Each structure stands twice: as structure tokens, then as C-alpha cells.
Amino acid sequence: MEPEGGAAAAAGRKRLRLHLITWNVGTASPPPDVTSLLQLSLQGLAVDMYIVGLQEVNAKIVNFLSDLAFDDPWSIFFETILSPLSYIKVSSIRMQGLLLLIFAKHAHVPFIQNIRSQFTRTGLYGYWGNKGAVSIRMSLYGHTVCFVNCHLPAHMENAEQRLDDFEHILEMQQFEGENVPGVLDHDILFWFGDLNFRIEDYGLHFIRESINKNRFSLLWEKDQLNMAKKKEAFLQEFREGPLQFKPTYKFDLYSNEYDTRAQTMLFWFNGKKRKPAWTDRILWRVKSLLLHASEAGEVPEEQAISMSLHSYASHMSYGISDHKPVTGTFGLELKPLVSVPLITLRPVGHWSTGQDATISYSALPEFPHSAWDWIGLYKVTFRHANDYVVYAWVQDNEISSEEDAKQVYLSTEGLPTEGGQFLLGYYSHTMQSIVGLSQHFQIQPSRTSAEKDVGWDGEALLCGATK
């Protein structure tokens, strides 16, 4: 189940491909196809982790209450696409219209630990979550990583407010119970979302002419985020790829035409055409690079973490919103601090429906056991940790304990009657993640269930023949 790592793997290093998406979906439903958005058609360039940050997911009260009880349509949409490709959703968080989803290949799941999430409201003086941030932090092969999806205040004149809100978010996003107290203390930090920065000074005609002639560089110096990075020290630590794509806001729906509204006024609503702007951005910060930069004259032999940007692009074919989605694909190379799963588990013997089953597992000495740990039986296309067929509490169902392995009992009552391909996963309550996955194995349907199927079919045929 080890991911391919090429030369890096041979040298004891991991190479991971991370694909980030930010998209203000404007309360729309998912589109029919996202193959290009997820890079699913690129041969030989499999993504290890998907990070999806959405803004303005439909948060009307009826939709929001429904989504609290069930997964929201966007989460289900991405799960449905990615789970057959051996990705599972390792974490998610939602705050009204802000949604952050993280998916990973099965091979990486045991090495994604200590997952925590946090949110910060900045709308209506901090009382409303239409603006703000949601974040997820984790340990990835022993290195700390944090993803922050933001939706900052709109309009040209609010550039300072956007910066103030982001600084407030950095201060407020504290993760309790961790050795890593704040967002900026992570080894790797991604900051992305509808950041709402605009292009100052230039008129609408000049901006559109520059875009039509693909002379984007003429606009960079008046981009508010670029301007702020020259003045604000904390922003200078963040890196961003070149803006070699058209500004992603504001478009007519289902069109590649920028805002064509007539200039009208209705009550307090200003119908003036919006200037195009790069509102949707992806930035990152690698802590080790900052430390090395501060140590003048010292060149490390080998950095524990290195990251490169493979692509930074918008996707013009999606028209469900007045924003175009933006993706950033990163190559992350790291020296694993954790290379062996905390838990190794397997089914004991051959499993078949109608019979009780036994699971064997072993744990590394440093594993923090909890009375709330459980082992789940999953289909091989499972979507997330709670998408189990059946589960067993580890301590309550332990039937054998030896120095090198323990055994857990699983009652036949929950086993699937149809059989098929499955795997086992050990969920750690302390680490809030699956810390061990078994190999795939077969559960054989029992003869009794097969005979019942045959008997039912035969009875149906006889009934049909006598009618």
C-alpha cells in the first residue's frame, strides 16, 4: 500500500502530489463533470491528496439544517467521484457557506494523524459566519500541515479590512490539546479562498484591454494583495505562483464574459459593472525555509521539507458561479518522521457471512490507546471513517491479549450477507483519525444466504409460471 516515490522513495524521502481547489460556488449545485478540475485525465500524475475549499455553499436555513443532519451535496459529490479511486475523506469542516474537504489515498491514511479543525467568524463583527475561515490541521508523516480556507470582505475599499480579518484569523485559530498552538507554527501552511483582493487605480477599460491581450503583468503591481505583501511583514512569508491566468471574478453565469450588467441602481444595490479581479488565490508558507533564511551563511545539507508548485491555473469551462475555480498543484518532498503505521491489523482466517469473525492487531509502544477506539469493517470503496459496514469497540470486544498481538471479536450480526471485498480500519479517538488499515480481503457469502437467494428466485419463477 506504499505510494510510489521514485528516486525520493529510494533515498528514504516521500514525494507527494497535493492538488488544492478554491471555488466560490455562489450557492450553486455541483456541475455535471469535474474531470479537468481534479486532473483525473492526466496519465501517470496521480494525486496523493485533494484539498477542496469552497465558499458560498448554499447556506439558506432549510439547506443548512438539512446539511447538519446529512452530508451536504458538495461533500457527497466529491466523495462519489473520489471513493472508487481509493481516496477517502480524512476530514471536513463547514461554517455556513465555507466548506473545507480533505481527501487522501488509502496508502497515506495511517500517516495522517492528530487531525483537528477550527473556524473563525468575521462577519457582522465576529457574530456571523458568512465571512471568516475554516481550517484543518494534521500531522503528515510526522510533519505538521495546516490548510486555511478563507472568505474575506468584498469591495474595492475594504483592502485594509481584509488584512485585519486575516490577522485576526491567524490569532484566533488555536488548536486545543496539541503541541502546535497556532496556525503559523505549522511546518507547512496553505492559505487560500475567495480573498476578495481587487485591482486598484486602473479603469475598467484598461483592465479589460490588458486581459484581452494577455498582458496580465501590467495589472500585477496594482493587485491589492501584491501591494500588501510589499508592506506587511507577515504576508512576505507567504509565496504565490505567478498570476498567468485571467482574473477569476466577475463573470456572467455560464459564460466567459466579464460582468455585462447595465449600470442601474435599485434601493441600496449598486448595479455598476465590477472590475475583473484575482479574488480567488492560493498561497503557501514553509516554516523550515524561513528558519534557514534567518540563519545567514548556513546552508543545510538536506531540508526536511521541500515544496514546488507544478501548476497554478483557473478553469474557464465552469460557469455555475460568477467566479472561476482556481487550482494549485504542489510537489511535496519530505523526510518521513513516521514510516511505520501505529497499528497493524488483519482478519484472522477466512471470513464468511453467518460466522463470527476475529481481528488481530498490534500497536507500536508509543500508541495512545483509548477506551473509545474502534475497528471498522469497510467496503474497499468507503468514503470516510464513519462509512463502515459494522464496527467493534476495541477494549470491549478484546478476547485475547498477548505481547505481540491482540484479538478483537466481531459478531456475525453486522457482517454483510452478500460478501465481497473489504478492509479493516483502526480509528484512534485520541488522534481523531484512522491509524491503521488492513490489506483488502474477501468475505465469502454463506451457503445459507446463497441458497435463500436461489430459493427465492426459484419460487418467483414458479409463481410466475402458474399465473
Side-chain angles (χ1 to χ4, degrees):
M1 294 178 67
E2 279 294 306
E4 294 182 0
R13 295 174 69 83
K14 290 282 183 187
R15 281 182 181 164
L16 304 179
R17 190 177 178 88
L18 277 58
H19 189 65
L20 276 72
I21 300 169
T22 179
W23 194 2
N24 183 323
V25 297
T27 74
S29 299
D33 182 74
V34 287
T35 299
S36 63
L37 194 64
L38 296 174
Q39 294 189 344
L40 297 180
S41 58
L42 295 181
Q43 297 297 320
L45 295 174
V47 170
D48 295 285
M49 293 180 66
Y50 284 102
I51 299 90
V52 182
L54 304 180
Q55 306 86 39
E56 292 194 20
V57 173
N58 197 333
K60 292 179 181 177
I61 189 64
V62 174
N63 300 81
F64 189 64
L65 291 176
S66 173
D67 293 345
L68 289 177
F70 310 98
D71 271 348
D72 65 276
W74 280 95
S75 295
I76 294 171
F77 175 70
F78 283 109
E79 290 168 9
T80 301
I81 294 169
L82 294 174
S83 63
L85 303 176
S86 296
Y87 295 92
I88 76 162
K89 184 179 72 178
V90 294
S91 187
S92 66
I93 181 173
R94 181 173 179 185
M95 179 184 74
Q96 288 179 223
L98 273 167
L99 177 64
L100 178 57
L101 307 167
I102 299 182
F103 296 86
K105 277 282 192 183
H106 288 187
H108 303 301
V109 169
F111 304 100
I112 300 174
Q113 303 166 359
N114 292 320
I115 300 172
R116 295 292 186 274
S117 59
Q118 187 58 271
F119 66 90
T120 302
R121 303 183 185 95
T122 60
L124 205 63
Y125 305 102
Y127 290 98
W128 192 241
N130 65 318
K131 295 290 190 294
V134 291
S135 62
I136 295 173
R137 64 88 49 198
M138 62 183 62
S139 168
L140 177 62
Y141 288 97
H143 299 274
T144 56
V145 186
C146 186
F147 302 94
V148 182
N149 173 25
C150 286
H151 194 184
L152 300 180
H155 306 305
M156 178 74 73
E157 64 274 13
N158 287 330
E160 288 299 322
Q161 184 63 52
R162 287 187 271 277
L163 296 175
D164 290 345
D165 281 7
F166 183 51
E167 285 195 274
H168 176 70
I169 288 164
L170 292 176
E171 292 172 2
M172 296 299 295
Q173 297 260 306
Q174 301 293 323
F175 301 96
E176 296 182 4
E178 294 294 327
N179 293 326
V180 181
V183 172
L184 292 175
D185 294 301
H186 286 75
D187 297 324
I188 305 170
L189 169 60
F190 288 97
W191 172 37
F192 53 100
D194 180 0
L195 307 185
N196 255 321
F197 289 103
R198 309 302 169 103
I199 298 172
E200 285 192 358
D201 297 339
Y202 296 140
L204 177 62
H205 177 75
F206 178 81
I207 293 175
R208 289 196 173 185
E209 279 297 301
S210 300
I211 295 169
N212 291 336
K213 295 177 180 178
N214 290 325
R215 302 181 68 183
F216 306 131
S217 60
L218 297 176
L219 308 176
W220 292 345
E221 66 177 15
K222 293 299 182 180
D223 171 79
Q224 289 178 333
L225 181 53
N226 286 340
M227 295 167 67
K229 286 180 70 175
K230 294 178 181 179
K231 295 184 295 184
E232 302 288 343
F234 79 101
L235 287 181
Q236 292 169 9
E237 299 175 350
F238 287 89
R239 299 182 63 187
E240 184 182 17
L243 298 169
Q244 300 282 16
F245 50 87
K246 291 183 176 183
T248 54
Y249 175 84
K250 172 181 172 105
F251 288 90
D252 293 341
L253 295 182
Y254 302 101
S255 167
N256 288 337
E257 296 293 327
Y258 286 104
D259 191 7
T260 58
R261 293 176 302 171
Q263 298 187 23
T264 58
M265 292 288 291
L266 181 61
F267 301 108
W268 62 87
F269 176 73
N270 183 358
K272 186 177 180 180
K273 294 179 182 178
R274 303 291 178 123
K275 294 180 184 178
W278 286 290
T279 56
D280 310 280
R281 313 286 278 269
I282 299 173
L283 294 90
W284 73 95
R285 176 184 184 270
V286 180
K287 186 178 178 182
S288 63
L289 299 181
L290 300 173
L291 293 175
H292 295 323
S294 66
E295 298 171 358
E298 294 186 17
V299 179
E301 293 182 5
E302 183 182 52
Q303 294 177 1
I305 301 171
S306 63
M307 195 158 64
S308 58
L309 178 65
H310 291 173
S311 70
Y312 188 33
S314 66
H315 296 260
M316 298 293 289
S317 62
Y318 297 95
I320 62 172
S321 163
D322 54 4
H323 290 253
K324 300 297 183 182
V326 170
T327 61
T329 307
F330 296 85
L332 173 61
E333 185 174 320
L334 50 80
K335 186 176 183 179
L337 303 178
V338 178
S339 56
V340 179
L342 288 167
I343 296 288
T344 303
L345 69 168
R346 62 177 178 83
V348 176
H350 297 288
W351 287 25
S352 61
T353 60
Q355 296 181 2
D356 294 340
T358 305
I359 302 162
S360 175
Y361 81 92
S362 58
L364 295 183
E366 63 267 28
F367 176 67
H369 292 274
S370 167
W372 298 101
D373 290 352
W374 47 269
I375 295 175
L377 174 69
Y378 298 96
K379 293 182 179 180
V380 294
T381 57
F382 76 113
R383 300 181 176 208
H384 47 75
N386 291 325
D387 189 25
Y388 46 74
V389 178
V390 63
Y391 72 94
W393 296 107
V394 174
Q395 290 190 9
D396 291 350
N397 292 278
E398 190 174 290
I399 56 176
S400 172
S401 179
E402 298 179 5
E403 185 176 344
D404 58 340
K406 298 181 180 182
Q407 291 191 342
V408 173
Y409 165 82
L410 190 61
S411 171
T412 184
E413 294 177 2
L415 293 181
T417 58
E418 71 279 6
Q421 284 281 314
F422 296 87
L423 74 163
L424 298 164
Y426 188 111
Y427 185 86
S428 166
H429 176 75
T430 302
M431 294 191 161
Q432 298 287 292
S433 62
I434 294 175
V435 293
L437 283 176
S438 75
Q439 299 290 333
H440 296 181
F441 65 96
Q442 184 77 23
I443 297 181
Q444 298 293 338
S446 66
R447 291 183 61 184
T448 304
S449 62
E451 288 168 359
K452 285 181 179 179
D453 291 340
V454 171
W456 187 89
D457 290 340
E459 184 179 346
L461 289 171
L462 288 171
C463 291
T466 56
K467 283 185 180 178

